[in-house]
Amino acid sequence: MDEKSLVTYLVYYFILSPIAKIFFVNIHYFVSKQKRDEYLIRKLVKWGNIIDFIHVAVASYFLGFREITVQVESFSFLGWPFIVHWNTLTFIFLSFTTIIIAVIGHFSLFYLHRDAYYHKFFSLYFIFHLSIKLIVFSSDTVYFFMGWELLGFSSVLLIAFYEHRTNPLKNAMRVLFIYESGDIFLLGLIALLTFLHIEDMTRLVLIQEHGYAWAMVLLIIACFFKSGIFPWTWLPRAMEGPTPSSAAFYGSLSTHIPIFLLLRFWPREWSLPVYWPEVWTISHPANAIAIAVAVCAFSAFITTHMSRQHADAKNTIAYATMTQLAIIYIEIFFGLRTLALVHVVSHGIYRTFEFLRTPSLLHFYHTME
């Protein structure tokens, strides 16, 4: 099997397997006589994680950090080409997301034991899995935007997970409004790329040649909304969901995926050190980067102090997460891409552990008291 065929196979596996698991969970729920039967779900999650790890190991051995570009025509008979740029970033984020999703899935099997919404959680969990893999693999505008929207869809539904309570529903609607407000800017960027006949988002630098350098603002705003950099008040409201979803979405993956977007699609030429010797005018594209750095610095300052004033453990972690994300964005805008990559992966792993550790930590604290 050659390298391009292996990349194509990996795309089909990591995209189609979560879809099959979503159907299995829902069919099992409606067919099973015992609505709280968890045995098959446990086997599905455990064996699914093992098979995912095997595929990541195969990708590591045969592909590693090579540079390979594959275009899958009419992916799954949908009619749109699926563009994959396999490189160091793709491999690192594939490994990172697979490990985090596996850990959270295994933790959830026991954390949500005998929960009335057990099947509902894992159905949304696999939708989240699908969205992450679409974002990690696809560089084309269509499938990437599908993954981006599915990520927000599963996030909002997990915030409203405990539907018998009023607060989760209210906060889910607030987060949905903020998500969609940010998605409008990404949709505007994709519409511009489609107008310019640019299907591959890695060729984003071409918009500067067409005189649309100002469009970088659209990407920055979309990422800021998704990561909670601005407005920074919505992330604690998203903590209404169960702890595993808080760890997956707001501790490690959902808030960190926009950084992966910038690392992969943001041109290296668009950084402050590159523009620094030039004379900036009002219309110069470097002004957008300078304003973004200022917003990140202000957000980091505010969220640092807010994290120290909150008594709620999950809210404290949420504000601390936003502080680190703002710093990572500043690193990218200053051209420190390797530092940003190491920072985002290590921070995602640390925050996942911190979120998953919170319930038992509070229990031990009250026991000591």
Side-chain angles (χ1 to χ4, degrees):
M1 181 183 292
D2 63 308
E3 294 176 345
K4 290 190 175 182
S5 299
L6 180 57
V7 172
T8 303
Y9 167 73
L10 290 173
V11 169
Y12 273 101
Y13 169 77
F14 280 109
I15 301 301
L16 297 183
S17 62
I19 297 176
K21 292 172 184 177
I22 293 167
F23 280 108
F24 177 85
V25 171
N26 286 278
I27 292 172
H28 175 259
Y29 176 77
F30 288 108
V31 172
S32 177
K33 295 180 180 179
Q34 296 180 353
K35 295 299 183 184
R36 293 191 178 182
D37 183 19
E38 302 174 1
Y39 177 77
L40 290 178
I41 303 298
R42 289 190 177 188
K43 292 296 182 182
L44 179 67
V45 173
K46 289 180 179 179
W47 283 104
N49 290 339
I50 292 173
I51 297 173
D52 286 350
F53 282 135
I54 292 174
H55 281 80
V56 171
V58 169
S60 173
Y61 182 78
F62 290 101
L63 299 176
F65 301 114
R66 294 181 178 88
E67 300 279 343
I68 304 169
T69 300
V70 177
Q71 182 167 326
V72 184
E73 299 294 339
S74 298
F75 178 74
S76 296
F77 306 103
L78 293 180
W80 297 295
F82 195 108
I83 302 173
V84 184
H85 289 281
W86 181 274
N87 50 34
T88 302
L89 280 173
T90 306
F91 173 70
I92 290 176
F93 267 83
L94 175 64
S95 306
F96 168 63
T97 55
T98 302
I99 292 171
I100 296 298
I101 289 172
V103 169
I104 291 173
H106 186 76
F107 177 86
S108 304
L109 292 175
F110 302 95
Y111 184 83
L112 294 169
H113 176 54
R114 295 183 180 276
D115 194 290
Y117 302 125
Y118 193 84
H119 285 73
K120 174 184 173 182
F121 175 84
F122 281 99
S123 179
L124 295 173
Y125 166 80
F126 288 125
I127 293 175
F128 168 68
H129 190 174
L130 170 63
S131 67
I132 291 294
K133 291 303 185 283
L134 277 171
I135 293 173
V136 168
F137 276 106
S138 59
S139 296
D140 57 281
T141 55
V142 175
Y143 291 102
F144 181 86
F145 193 70
M146 284 184 185
W148 187 268
E149 289 300 311
L150 279 176
L151 183 63
F153 170 76
S154 55
S155 172
V156 169
L157 290 182
L158 278 168
I159 295 171
F161 183 73
Y162 296 111
E163 57 193 42
H164 57 277
R165 292 166 48 201
T166 305
N167 280 339
L169 299 178
K170 289 182 178 179
N171 287 324
M173 291 305 296
R174 293 189 181 103
V175 173
L176 177 63
F177 175 77
I178 293 172
Y179 268 174
E180 295 307 315
S181 299
D183 291 350
I184 291 174
F185 295 95
L186 183 62
L187 180 61
L189 176 62
I190 290 177
L192 177 62
L193 293 175
T194 305
F195 173 74
L196 298 175
H197 302 287
I198 302 174
E199 295 182 350
D200 191 347
M201 293 187 67
T202 58
R203 301 169 63 197
L204 190 63
V205 70
L206 293 179
I207 65 175
Q208 192 169 8
E209 298 177 4
H210 290 84
Y212 295 100
W214 54 267
M216 71 168 69
V217 178
L218 302 177
L219 184 59
I220 292 174
I221 295 174
C223 292
F224 279 8
F225 270 83
K226 206 77 165 185
S227 292
I229 300 299
F230 179 85
W232 51 82
T233 56
W234 70 265
L235 196 58
R237 295 181 182 273
M239 297 299 157
E240 294 286 355
T243 297
S245 67
S246 299
F249 285 96
Y250 313 113
S252 55
L253 296 182
S254 182
T255 53
H256 292 63
I257 280 296
I259 295 174
F260 171 62
L261 186 154
L262 282 186
L263 286 173
R264 189 167 61 171
F265 300 145
W266 190 262
R268 294 180 180 272
E269 297 85 356
W270 292 357
S271 62
L272 282 182
V274 174
Y275 288 125
W276 194 266
E278 299 181 11
V279 178
W280 293 359
T281 61
I282 296 177
S283 60
H284 198 280
N287 288 311
I289 304 175
I291 294 173
V293 170
V295 171
C296 289
F298 182 73
S299 178
F301 176 79
I302 293 295
T303 53
T304 298
H305 288 79
M306 294 180 78
S307 67
R308 296 173 180 174
Q309 294 174 1
H310 270 267
D312 183 84
K314 290 173 72 174
N315 286 351
T316 301
I317 299 174
Y319 282 119
T321 299
M322 286 187 282
T323 303
Q324 293 299 316
L325 291 175
I327 296 173
I328 296 172
Y329 276 113
I330 293 174
E331 292 168 356
I332 294 174
F333 293 137
F334 274 96
L336 305 174
R337 302 170 71 91
T338 303
L339 175 62
L341 177 61
V342 175
H343 194 169
V344 70
V345 172
S346 57
H347 179 253
I349 294 172
Y350 174 73
R351 290 301 177 197
T352 301
F353 169 77
E354 198 171 23
F355 269 107
L356 298 182
R357 175 70 171 137
T358 300
S360 57
L361 185 65
L362 293 175
H363 174 73
F364 289 148
Y365 177 79
H366 290 300
T367 303
M368 288 188 295
E369 288 293 322

